[in-house]
Amino acid sequence: MTKEASPPVAIVTGAARGIGKAIAHWFLARGQCVALIDIDEPKLAACAAELAAGHGDRVLAIHADVSDRAAVQRAVAQVEQAFGSIDALVNNAGVAVFKPAADTSFDEWRFVMATNLDGAFICAQAVLPALRRAGGGSIVNIASISGLRASTLRVAYGTSKAALIQLTKQLAVEWASYGVRVNAIAPGPVETAMAKAVHSPEIRADYHASVPLARYGLEEEIAAAVGFLCTRDAGYVTGQVLAVDGGFDAAGVGLPAFRTAVG
C-alpha cells in the first residue's frame, strides 16, 4: 500500500475511557488508524475490544506509562511497525490530586507533574522523528481551563496544565520548520463518568451558574475540537490554546446573577 493510499495514523494517550476514548472514536469514524495508549491495562483492553469491533485492524492497544521514557519509545516504535507512519499525537493522559496547596505533598505534586507535563514532553519528543518522516503532522495537548484560571484545590493540577500550555507554544515555535503543528485544547467541565460520579448536585449547580452556556460539555465536543486541529483545515493553526468550555474562561469573574439579569 502506498503512503498516499494509507489512512492517517493517530496516537491517543489516556485513551481507555472518557475524553481519550471519544477522541479515538472520532479518528476511527473518519477512517483513520488509532493507537490507544493507557496505563490501566484492563480498561484499555475493554476499550480496544469495543472499538475494534467496528474498526478491525485499525485499532492498536499499547499498555504503557507515559511518564516512562523507555516505555513510550517502545510504544512509538510499535505503532510505526504496525501502521507504517504516524501523523498525529494527542497527549490526553492526565491525573489529578485535589487538595489545598498547604496539604499537597511533594510526592503528590510530582505524581501529577510526571504524567501531565513530563508525559506530554516525553511523548512529543518520541513521536517527532516519525512526524518528520511523514512530512509533518499535528500534536494536540489536552490542557484544562484550570491552566488558564486559578481555582482552589488545584495547585498541582492547575500548574501542570498551565505549564503544558507553555510547552505547547514552545514546541509550536521550535517545530514549525518541520511541518509539525502543536496546539492545546483547554476543556471546561465535561460530562465524563468521573464527573457524574464525584460532582455533587451543589457542584453541578455552581458550574451551570458559572458557565455561560449553563451546561457541562460533552466528550464528543472535546473530541471534535481535537480532531479539527489534526485536519488540513487547521493547517495554519499552531501554538494556540482553544478553550472548549461553554464560555467559562471568557466570563472571568463575571457574576452569574448579572448574566441572569441580562436574560
Side-chain angles (χ1 to χ4, degrees):
M1 185 179 291
T2 65
K3 177 70 172 77
E4 291 72 23
S6 300
V9 177
I11 295 176
V12 181
T13 70
R17 74 192 84 189
I19 292 172
K21 182 178 178 181
I23 293 169
H25 185 270
W26 190 96
F27 286 119
L28 290 168
R30 286 153 183 81
Q32 302 190 31
C33 297
V34 179
L36 318 171
I37 296 179
D38 206 284
I39 196 172
D40 189 331
E41 194 166 16
K43 287 193 180 297
L44 175 63
C47 174
E50 178 184 338
L51 294 177
H55 304 286
D57 59 2
R58 290 192 286 113
V59 177
L60 174 66
I62 303 175
H63 174 236
D65 179 352
V66 298
S67 69
D68 182 334
R69 185 168 177 266
V72 168
Q73 289 176 329
R74 289 193 297 270
V76 169
Q78 188 176 343
V79 176
E80 279 202 280
Q81 182 177 15
F83 295 134
S85 64
I86 299 171
D87 302 279
L89 165 67
V90 181
N91 280 313
N92 171 70
V95 296
V97 172
F98 296 126
K99 283 186 175 181
D103 298 332
T104 301
S105 70
F106 183 70
D107 285 344
E108 290 170 329
W109 170 274
R110 280 306 317 153
F111 168 68
V112 173
M113 295 296 168
T115 296
N116 297 5
L117 181 60
D118 299 350
F121 175 66
I122 289 169
C123 289
Q125 270 197 335
V127 166
L128 178 62
L131 295 180
R132 294 185 67 179
R133 284 192 290 272
S138 175
I139 297 174
V140 179
N141 296 320
I142 306 301
S144 170
I145 199 69
S146 294
L148 295 174
R149 55 188 292 179
S151 180
T152 54
L153 309 181
R154 286 168 169 80
V155 65
Y157 181 77
T159 302
S160 73
K161 294 300 187 177
L164 182 58
I165 288 170
Q166 180 60 28
L167 175 64
T168 298
K169 296 178 180 181
Q170 193 71 39
L171 296 184
V173 171
E174 293 196 18
W175 293 356
S177 61
Y178 304 143
V180 176
R181 297 181 298 103
V182 189
N183 293 287
I185 294 288
V190 178
E191 199 71 89
T192 61
M194 182 176 294
K196 292 175 183 177
V198 304
H199 285 189
S200 66
E202 292 76 17
I203 290 174
R204 297 184 69 87
D206 283 348
Y207 270 128
H208 281 218
S210 300
V211 174
L213 286 183
R215 66 175 177 87
Y216 281 51
L218 302 178
E219 294 169 346
E220 294 78 10
E221 291 174 317
I222 307 302
V226 171
F228 164 72
L229 290 174
C230 293
T231 66
R232 292 181 179 179
D233 289 340
Y236 201 50
V237 181
T238 196
Q240 300 305 303
V241 182
L242 176 59
V244 185
D245 66 348
F248 191 27
D249 183 53
V253 295
L255 298 179
F258 288 160
R259 294 199 296 275
T260 302
V262 170

